[in-house]
Amino acid sequence: MFKKILIANRGEIALRVIRACRELGIKSVAIYSEADRDSLHVKFADESICVGPASPKESYLNIPRVISAAEVTGAEAIHPGYGFLSENATFSEICVANNITFIGASAENIRLMGNKSEAKATMKRFNVPTVPGSDGIVESADALDAIAAQTGFPLMIKASAGGGGKGMRIVRSKSELHEAYTLATNEAKSAFGNGDVYIEKFIENPRHVEIQILSDPTGHAIHLGERDCTIQRRHQKLVEESPSPILDDTLRHRRRYD
């Protein structure tokens, strides 16, 4: 069991990790930007340390400063929460190189599944059905036009390193395409330090059903059943319902074991 964990996140996400640490008798270290100095997660953690100015790129996304904060405070592990550095393969590798446990996926798994465009390519290799769209990231305006013409409207521009509903834009006509691309790219770069985006056909009125899987480094894995995340605001989940009301037992069994 760890004695001290640094939480590389802020707000409600960090508070949840702090509470879990307290229940397990583990000391918690909060990092914060200058703008978050008086935030609740800073007050509730056992220790806190400033990692930079208000811009996330210079604080929460600044890997050298986060690693330094862990070393200065003597934290044995870093919990990234979600968003920010949680799906950054380089960060996972750097933690390991500095003898700090990264509480999350390995760098290899993040590269396969953490980056959404790469995850889609991985699924295609295993013949898993995917939503039509670009093969990988969209690297130029010319490619953007060609892929949009092939995919058709409406379409969705998505941040490849995204999460939390950020870096996403619905495009319903060609006249909106380039502005939406610029907005999505800039938002992704600001939120995740990575401006790569990809395109998918936008599905009207879908059901968003997930199955959560947990595994450890020894190869043991469990699933926690499905959860229905259809109720959203600005592409951010508001309610997660489990079990999903849209699945019957026949489909639920087939999805898990076939």
Side-chain angles (χ1 to χ4, degrees):
M1 183 70 73
F2 301 116
K3 294 180 180 179
K4 186 184 290 188
I5 292 174
L6 181 138
I7 303 156
N9 219 301
R10 65 183 177 186
E12 177 62 24
I13 304 165
L15 285 169
R16 293 181 186 183
V17 181
I18 291 168
R19 183 176 64 184
C21 286
R22 190 161 295 174
E23 291 175 355
L24 293 169
I26 300 170
K27 296 290 185 181
S28 60
V29 180
I31 63 170
Y32 62 91
S33 70
E34 292 172 1
D36 294 331
R37 185 179 301 274
D38 296 320
S39 295
L40 280 178
H41 77 282
V42 178
K43 296 178 180 179
F44 279 89
D46 296 295
E47 299 176 43
S48 60
I49 184 168
C50 183
V51 289
S55 169
K57 187 176 180 180
E58 298 180 65
S59 52
Y60 298 101
L61 290 169
N62 190 314
I63 293 176
R65 290 182 180 179
V66 174
I67 294 294
S68 295
E71 292 176 337
V72 166
T73 57
E76 304 156 275
I78 293 178
H79 195 309
Y82 62 83
F84 284 142
L85 295 170
S86 64
E87 297 180 10
N88 187 308
T90 301
F91 182 58
S92 178
E93 285 178 332
I94 291 173
C95 286
V96 173
N98 285 274
N99 296 315
I100 299 169
T101 299
F102 178 73
I103 302 177
S106 67
E108 179 185 6
N109 285 343
I110 291 174
R111 288 195 173 97
L112 285 174
M113 298 302 295
N115 182 291
K116 291 178 172 56
S117 61
E118 181 61 32
K120 188 172 181 179
T122 302
M123 292 299 96
K124 284 183 175 180
R125 288 197 294 271
F126 288 94
N127 297 317
V128 175
T130 60
V131 178
S134 61
D135 291 322
I137 62 173
V138 181
E139 297 185 352
S140 68
D142 289 341
L144 176 68
D145 290 333
I147 295 165
Q150 184 177 15
T151 303
F153 297 95
L155 58 80
M156 174 81 83
I157 299 175
K158 293 184 175 183
S160 190
K166 296 185 181 298
M168 300 172 69
R169 289 292 186 279
I170 299 172
V171 183
R172 297 190 178 276
S173 67
K174 186 176 180 179
S175 63
E176 304 171 4
L177 185 61
H178 285 265
E179 181 182 5
Y181 176 77
T182 300
L183 289 171
T185 299
N186 290 341
E187 185 176 32
K189 192 177 296 183
S190 174
F192 312 113
N194 182 339
D196 291 344
V197 297
Y198 66 104
I199 285 177
E200 282 187 344
K201 182 71 176 176
F202 178 64
I203 301 174
E204 302 274 6
N205 301 317
R207 297 296 301 212
H208 182 135
V209 180
E210 302 176 352
I211 297 176
Q212 189 158 20
I213 300 170
L214 298 177
S215 63
D216 65 24
T218 66
H220 295 96
I222 61 170
H223 69 77
L224 301 179
E226 85 282 350
R227 56 189 183 185
D228 196 307
C229 311
T230 303
I231 300 175
Q232 301 185 10
R233 178 175 178 268
R234 297 177 182 173
H235 315 301
Q236 177 70 61
K237 301 164 192 170
L238 294 179
V239 176
E240 297 183 1
E241 185 176 0
S242 184
S244 169
I246 200 71
L247 300 185
D248 59 29
D249 286 340
T250 300
L251 180 58
R252 185 174 290 114
H253 180 83
R254 179 162 62 85
R255 286 175 63 91
R256 291 179 182 173
Y257 300 112
D258 281 4

